[in-house]
Amino acid sequence: MAKELSLRGKAARERMEKITNSRPLTGVRVVPASDELRKVLKHPRGAKFPSEGSAEWPNDTFTKRRLKEGAVKLETSGARSKPARKSETA
């Protein structure tokens, strides 16, 4: 009977892994509305803002609420600088 329980648990874990892995990881780049907010505001999953620039946060209810209240703003695509590729720097 213990073997059946462990197999059932294994099947449940595998099913949850498949569900988790099948979800696309969507994130948004946000910038704080002020420097004061940059220092104190962070996402519950631990994503803090760097000393300058934007941070990538998951597009969840916390982020949507901060966008709605104006604490953070979506980063405009032109303001973001892309890192140079290794072949471009050589």
Side-chain angles (χ1 to χ4, degrees), residues 29-74:
R29 302 237 20 124
V30 293
V31 293
S34 67
D35 285 333
E36 292 82 25
L37 288 173
R38 178 181 298 279
K39 295 174 186 173
V40 296
L41 190 62
K42 70 172 192 166
H43 195 277
R45 293 188 185 171
K48 290 180 162 181
F49 284 105
S51 59
E52 55 184 46
S54 64
E56 186 164 347
W57 283 5
N59 195 12
D60 58 1
T61 55
F62 179 83
T63 303
K64 291 175 185 175
R65 193 176 316 125
R66 299 294 88 77
L67 286 166
K68 189 175 182 179
E69 66 189 23
V72 296
K73 299 174 185 177
L74 286 176

Side-chain angles (χ1 to χ4, degrees), residues 5-38:
L5 291 177
S6 65
L7 290 177
R8 187 180 306 161
K10 181 181 176 186
R13 282 190 301 276
E14 288 174 355
R15 186 171 56 251
M16 287 306 295
E17 285 179 18
K18 286 180 185 179
I19 291 170
T20 303
N21 293 335
S22 68
R23 292 182 189 159
L25 297 175
T26 59
V28 291
R29 302 237 20 124
V30 293
V31 293
S34 67
D35 285 333
E36 292 82 25
L37 288 173
R38 178 181 298 279

